[in-house]
């Protein structure tokens, strides 16, 4: 079974620039999560999708971050404009959703550096 | 919202010894407690999880205990091996199968040969 795929793996941008990350979850997984992991900390949930609907985005900084999952499969997370404090690893995870027992499978992450 | 505290932040043990990592949570409605292992530069991987209807779960050298009254849970690794060296994260979640997880800050475990 293929795992969660993410791209790019690394990205370096200047502050105030825009950046987008892509995630392809495990086939058949209805629930998709985006996490932000700052160095030395645990992952922090940004947004959770069930199919193509948003379940929770309470910790997403909506003035600069946006995410979509248009067809209930792939998802993109965008930052516009980026700030220095956005430097982190952005992890995508997926789970079976209501049909499963809750286990979340993580992708390899995208390491973002904002200069 | 949920708050998860994890201790210690670093732990160094000799190969063959046991390691214990402890977490506390604040939301009494949390009912799912997974533990993830993250090796340097790699993705977090689930190693064991427990739900609030049981007090203990074991899988070979790994066990997790849960005390709902005190709102704390612990990871126990016995007969540690150098390949157990990694960062371990606890998390707490609530809901049905679509758990919203809150993670602890992690414990860097080093197993010295």
């Amino acid at each position: 079974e293929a795992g969660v795929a993410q791209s790019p793996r690394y990205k370096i941008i200047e502050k105030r620039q825009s950046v987008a990350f892509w995630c392809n979850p495990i086939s058949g997984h209805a629930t998709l999560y985006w996490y932000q992991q700052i160095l030395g900390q645990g992952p922090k949930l940004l947004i959770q999708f069930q199919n193509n609907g948003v379940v929770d985005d309470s910790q997403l900084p909506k003035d600069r971050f946006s995410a979509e999952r248009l067809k209930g499969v792939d998802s993109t997370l965008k930052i516009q404009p980026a700030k220095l404090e956005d430097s982190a690893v952005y992890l995508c995870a997926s789970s079976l959703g209501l049909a499963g027992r809750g286990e979340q499978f993580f992708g390899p992450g995208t390491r973002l550096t904002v200069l | 919202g949920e708050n998860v505290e994890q201790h210690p932040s670093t732990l160094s043990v000799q190969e063959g010894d046991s390691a214990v990592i402890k977490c506390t949570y604040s939301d009494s409605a949390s009912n799912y407690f997974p533990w993830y292992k993250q090796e340097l530069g790699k993705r977090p991987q689930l190693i064991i999880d427990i739900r609030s209807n049981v007090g203990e779960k074991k899988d070979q050298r790994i066990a997790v205990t849960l005390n709902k009254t005190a709102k704390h849970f612990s990871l126990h690794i016995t007969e540690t091996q150098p390949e157990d060296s990694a960062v371990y994260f606890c998390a707490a979640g609530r809901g049905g199968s679509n758990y919203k997880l809150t993670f602890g800050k992690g414990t860097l475990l080093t197993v010295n040969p």
Side-chain angles (χ1 to χ4, degrees), chain B:
Chain B
E2 176 66 276
N3 182 51
V4 176
E5 300 282 343
Q6 183 171 347
H7 299 279
S9 56
T10 61
L11 179 60
S12 182
V13 300
Q14 289 300 121
E15 183 176 359
D17 287 350
S18 296
V20 180
I21 302 170
K22 299 181 179 181
C23 289
T24 61
Y25 61 98
S26 61
D27 187 351
S28 56
S30 289
N31 56 1
Y32 175 61
F33 307 92
W35 286 87
Y36 283 84
K37 175 183 180 182
Q38 187 173 30
E39 297 177 15
L40 186 63
K42 297 193 175 180
R43 70 190 76 189
Q45 292 196 300
L46 180 73
I47 55 171
I48 195 167
D49 57 11
I50 191 168
R51 285 171 172 75
S52 57
N53 58 343
V54 297
E56 183 175 359
K57 184 176 178 181
K58 289 187 70 174
D59 183 3
Q60 298 182 343
R61 296 186 297 110
I62 294 173
V64 58
T65 58
L66 171 65
N67 183 326
K68 287 190 297 181
T69 303
K71 288 190 282 189
H72 68 70
F73 55 113
S74 300
L75 177 71
H76 304 253
I77 306 175
T78 58
E79 301 172 23
T80 54
Q81 301 167 3
E83 50 264 40
D84 294 329
S85 296
V87 178
Y88 291 81
F89 293 98
C90 63
R94 59 182 294 184
S97 296
N98 284 329
Y99 295 104
K100 174 184 174 180
L101 295 180
T102 300
F103 284 80
K105 290 190 174 182
T107 296
L108 174 61
L109 173 65
T110 303
V111 180
N112 302 299

Side-chain angles (χ1 to χ4, degrees), chain A residues 16-27:
Chain A
R16 291 187 290 274
Q17 286 187 322
S18 301
V19 64
F21 313 127
W22 173 82
C23 173
N24 178 240
I26 294 173
S27 177

